[in-house]
Amino acid sequence: MPKTSLIIIVVLFSVSCPAPLRNRDFVLQRSWLDTGREQFIINHSVFHRDFPPRRGFIRATSYLTGFLIRPCGSAGSELGYVSQTDPQGTLPPWLVNKVTQIFAPKLVKKLFKASKAYPEWKKQNSPNWKPWHNPEQMTAPRITVQDVSVTCNISFKFTNKF
């Protein structure tokens, strides 16, 4: 039976935005799950006391963002991507939707290009360093559960309208 591994970390992630927009940042709880056949990378926003909102950034919220990677045929992979994110601030919804329609396809194209070059690149760059499989290789400081909580400003709105 293949080894199943689960790694959970908290990361601070920043996004540079073009003027006149303000930069965004996220504090994310990210989980990697490798079942031996499928790999999941999933994150959502959390509050961490060591990473309060920073000056010059708007703290965005990821309700759920994730990737699912599974084999497809003998030499390929299938990629699933989902993101429900609120950039916060005063961006009009039409702008957020337009940027999303551009960002997601660009992201997938970049991932595809990088994945084709990865095996050769990895041979030359720390081939045995794989912290997503070997948590003992992680060098980031350890955190305690008491330092993390679900972001308080997350709210869900349900409607019967389609």
Side-chain angles (χ1 to χ4, degrees):
M1 182 163 176
K3 176 184 169 185
T4 298
S5 62
L6 173 64
I7 310 282
I8 301 172
I9 63 169
V10 175
V11 296
L12 175 64
F13 178 74
S14 300
V15 178
S16 295
C17 297
L21 304 177
R22 290 182 50 202
N23 295 333
R24 301 307 201 255
D25 70 359
F26 300 81
V27 177
L28 303 170
Q29 179 179 333
R30 180 169 293 159
S31 304
W32 286 283
L33 175 63
D34 185 345
T35 67
R37 176 165 165 73
E38 299 174 323
Q39 291 77 39
F40 298 85
I41 305 169
I42 299 172
N43 70 56
H44 66 277
S45 289
V46 294
F47 172 80
H48 189 284
R49 69 178 182 188
D50 292 342
F51 300 104
R54 300 183 299 163
R55 186 178 188 164
F57 288 85
I58 293 176
R59 181 63 44 94
T61 302
S62 170
Y63 297 106
L64 173 69
T65 300
F67 297 91
L68 166 62
I69 305 160
R70 62 170 53 127
C72 181
S74 61
S77 295
E78 187 178 88
L79 172 70
Y81 173 68
V82 63
S83 182
Q84 185 176 8
T85 303
D86 183 348
Q88 302 293 343
T90 56
L91 300 174
W94 67 265
L95 178 60
V96 173
N97 291 335
K98 187 64 175 173
V99 169
T100 302
Q101 291 171 0
I102 295 166
F103 175 78
K106 280 187 176 183
L107 173 68
V108 171
K109 285 179 185 176
K110 286 181 179 182
L111 286 171
F112 177 71
K113 184 178 178 182
S115 71
K116 292 179 90 169
Y118 182 79
E120 191 57 40
W121 177 88
K122 188 61 177 167
K123 285 180 191 175
Q124 306 299 319
N125 295 274
S126 305
N128 295 318
W129 189 72
K130 298 177 181 178
W132 55 92
H133 282 292
N134 307 304
E136 66 277 4
Q137 293 178 336
M138 293 195 137
T139 58
R142 300 291 181 191
I143 61 168
T144 61
V145 174
Q146 293 83 359
D147 294 341
V148 179
S149 65
V150 175
T151 305
C152 296
N153 65 351
I154 295 176
S155 64
F156 295 96
K157 295 177 184 169
F158 296 97
T159 180
N160 291 330
K161 296 179 182 178
F162 291 94

mmCIF file of all heavy atoms in Angstrom, residues 5 15 21 33 46 51 63 69 77 87 105 122 134 136 149 154:
data_model
loop_
_atom_site.group_PDB
_atom_site.id
_atom_site.type_symbol
_atom_site.label_atom_id
_atom_site.label_comp_id
_atom_site.label_asym_id
_atom_site.label_seq_id
_atom_site.Cartn_x
_atom_site.Cartn_y
_atom_site.Cartn_z
ATOM 1 N N SER A 5 0.639 10.763 3.006
ATOM 2 C CA SER A 5 1.205 11.784 3.880
ATOM 3 C C SER A 5 0.323 13.026 3.880
ATOM 4 O O SER A 5 -0.280 13.367 2.875
ATOM 5 C CB SER A 5 2.634 12.133 3.462
ATOM 6 O OG SER A 5 2.653 12.656 2.162
ATOM 7 N N VAL A 15 0.559 39.477 -2.621
ATOM 8 C CA VAL A 15 0.317 39.661 -4.049
ATOM 9 C C VAL A 15 0.532 41.135 -4.380
ATOM 10 O O VAL A 15 -0.071 42.010 -3.761
ATOM 11 C CB VAL A 15 -1.130 39.263 -4.417
ATOM 12 C CG1 VAL A 15 -1.397 39.492 -5.894
ATOM 13 C CG2 VAL A 15 -1.405 37.815 -4.041
ATOM 14 N N LEU A 21 -4.374 50.021 -7.587
ATOM 15 C CA LEU A 21 -4.836 49.054 -6.590
ATOM 16 C C LEU A 21 -3.807 48.875 -5.483
ATOM 17 O O LEU A 21 -2.604 49.033 -5.716
ATOM 18 C CB LEU A 21 -5.110 47.702 -7.255
ATOM 19 C CG LEU A 21 -6.103 47.707 -8.419
ATOM 20 C CD1 LEU A 21 -6.211 46.324 -9.022
ATOM 21 C CD2 LEU A 21 -7.458 48.208 -7.952
ATOM 22 N N LEU A 33 -1.919 16.765 0.826
ATOM 23 C CA LEU A 33 -2.253 15.372 1.073
ATOM 24 C C LEU A 33 -1.834 14.574 -0.149
ATOM 25 O O LEU A 33 -2.263 14.866 -1.273
ATOM 26 C CB LEU A 33 -3.751 15.188 1.324
ATOM 27 C CG LEU A 33 -4.237 13.746 1.475
ATOM 28 C CD1 LEU A 33 -3.585 13.096 2.706
ATOM 29 C CD2 LEU A 33 -5.737 13.684 1.557
ATOM 30 N N VAL A 46 -6.747 31.970 7.714
ATOM 31 C CA VAL A 46 -6.804 31.857 9.170
ATOM 32 C C VAL A 46 -6.221 33.135 9.756
ATOM 33 O O VAL A 46 -5.597 33.936 9.050
ATOM 34 C CB VAL A 46 -6.006 30.635 9.708
ATOM 35 C CG1 VAL A 46 -6.634 29.328 9.253
ATOM 36 C CG2 VAL A 46 -4.541 30.706 9.327
ATOM 37 N N PHE A 51 1.136 37.247 12.677
ATOM 38 C CA PHE A 51 1.024 37.862 11.354
ATOM 39 C C PHE A 51 -0.217 38.738 11.271
ATOM 40 O O PHE A 51 -1.160 38.447 10.540
ATOM 41 C CB PHE A 51 0.978 36.786 10.260
ATOM 42 C CG PHE A 51 2.194 35.917 10.238
ATOM 43 C CD1 PHE A 51 2.152 34.630 10.753
ATOM 44 C CD2 PHE A 51 3.382 36.385 9.713
ATOM 45 C CE1 PHE A 51 3.279 33.825 10.737
ATOM 46 C CE2 PHE A 51 4.513 35.584 9.697
ATOM 47 C CZ PHE A 51 4.459 34.302 10.217
ATOM 48 N N TYR A 63 -11.625 31.620 1.069
ATOM 49 C CA TYR A 63 -12.579 30.716 1.701
ATOM 50 C C TYR A 63 -12.154 29.280 1.434
ATOM 51 O O TYR A 63 -12.203 28.438 2.308
ATOM 52 C CB TYR A 63 -13.989 30.955 1.167
ATOM 53 C CG TYR A 63 -14.499 32.342 1.472
ATOM 54 C CD1 TYR A 63 -14.587 33.300 0.475
ATOM 55 C CD2 TYR A 63 -14.880 32.683 2.762
ATOM 56 C CE1 TYR A 63 -15.039 34.575 0.766
ATOM 57 C CE2 TYR A 63 -15.337 33.959 3.053
ATOM 58 C CZ TYR A 63 -15.411 34.898 2.053
ATOM 59 O OH TYR A 63 -15.853 36.155 2.335
ATOM 60 N N ILE A 69 -4.399 16.890 -8.197
ATOM 61 C CA ILE A 69 -3.573 16.377 -9.289
ATOM 62 C C ILE A 69 -3.681 14.860 -9.257
ATOM 63 O O ILE A 69 -3.478 14.238 -8.217
ATOM 64 C CB ILE A 69 -2.098 16.808 -9.118
ATOM 65 C CG1 ILE A 69 -2.020 18.324 -8.988
ATOM 66 C CG2 ILE A 69 -1.254 16.305 -10.300
ATOM 67 C CD1 ILE A 69 -0.752 18.827 -8.349
ATOM 68 N N SER A 77 -1.163 13.978 -16.598
ATOM 69 C CA SER A 77 -1.820 14.273 -15.331
ATOM 70 C C SER A 77 -3.043 15.122 -15.603
ATOM 71 O O SER A 77 -3.124 15.835 -16.596
ATOM 72 C CB SER A 77 -0.881 15.039 -14.396
ATOM 73 O OG SER A 77 0.213 14.258 -14.041
ATOM 74 N N PRO A 87 -11.003 39.460 -2.396
ATOM 75 C CA PRO A 87 -9.834 40.335 -2.289
ATOM 76 C C PRO A 87 -10.018 41.462 -1.284
ATOM 77 O O PRO A 87 -9.066 42.183 -0.985
ATOM 78 C CB PRO A 87 -9.662 40.875 -3.701
ATOM 79 C CG PRO A 87 -11.022 40.794 -4.311
ATOM 80 C CD PRO A 87 -11.697 39.614 -3.664
ATOM 81 N N PRO A 105 -6.580 31.004 -15.947
ATOM 82 C CA PRO A 105 -5.965 30.344 -17.109
ATOM 83 C C PRO A 105 -4.454 30.588 -17.209
ATOM 84 O O PRO A 105 -3.698 29.675 -17.559
ATOM 85 C CB PRO A 105 -6.698 30.946 -18.307
ATOM 86 C CG PRO A 105 -8.005 31.408 -17.762
ATOM 87 C CD PRO A 105 -7.712 31.854 -16.347
ATOM 88 N N LYS A 122 14.672 19.432 -11.080
ATOM 89 C CA LYS A 122 14.787 18.848 -9.745
ATOM 90 C C LYS A 122 16.044 17.988 -9.621
ATOM 91 O O LYS A 122 16.665 17.959 -8.547
ATOM 92 C CB LYS A 122 13.533 18.023 -9.419
ATOM 93 C CG LYS A 122 13.468 17.543 -7.983
ATOM 94 C CD LYS A 122 13.437 18.709 -7.006
ATOM 95 C CE LYS A 122 13.290 18.253 -5.576
ATOM 96 N NZ LYS A 122 13.564 19.311 -4.610
ATOM 97 N N ASN A 134 8.354 14.534 3.182
ATOM 98 C CA ASN A 134 9.194 14.302 4.352
ATOM 99 C C ASN A 134 9.136 15.505 5.286
ATOM 100 O O ASN A 134 9.967 16.399 5.209
ATOM 101 C CB ASN A 134 10.646 14.059 3.911
ATOM 102 C CG ASN A 134 10.728 12.956 2.869
ATOM 103 O OD1 ASN A 134 10.280 11.847 3.091
ATOM 104 N ND2 ASN A 134 11.295 13.278 1.718
ATOM 105 N N GLU A 136 10.056 16.065 8.174
ATOM 106 C CA GLU A 136 11.263 16.331 8.961
ATOM 107 C C GLU A 136 12.220 17.261 8.221
ATOM 108 O O GLU A 136 13.123 17.840 8.825
ATOM 109 C CB GLU A 136 11.965 15.016 9.346
ATOM 110 C CG GLU A 136 12.542 14.237 8.192
ATOM 111 C CD GLU A 136 11.537 13.346 7.439
ATOM 112 O OE1 GLU A 136 10.328 13.370 7.752
ATOM 113 O OE2 GLU A 136 11.975 12.641 6.519
ATOM 114 N N SER A 149 -6.380 30.697 14.497
ATOM 115 C CA SER A 149 -7.830 30.534 14.588
ATOM 116 C C SER A 149 -8.428 30.870 13.235
ATOM 117 O O SER A 149 -7.815 31.553 12.423
ATOM 118 C CB SER A 149 -8.431 31.426 15.679
ATOM 119 O OG SER A 149 -8.254 32.782 15.347
ATOM 120 N N ILE A 154 -15.074 36.043 8.290
ATOM 121 C CA ILE A 154 -15.641 35.235 7.213
ATOM 122 C C ILE A 154 -17.121 35.032 7.485
ATOM 123 O O ILE A 154 -17.523 34.609 8.552
ATOM 124 C CB ILE A 154 -14.929 33.867 7.100
ATOM 125 C CG1 ILE A 154 -13.473 34.066 6.681
ATOM 126 C CG2 ILE A 154 -15.647 32.961 6.128
ATOM 127 C CD1 ILE A 154 -12.671 32.786 6.625
#
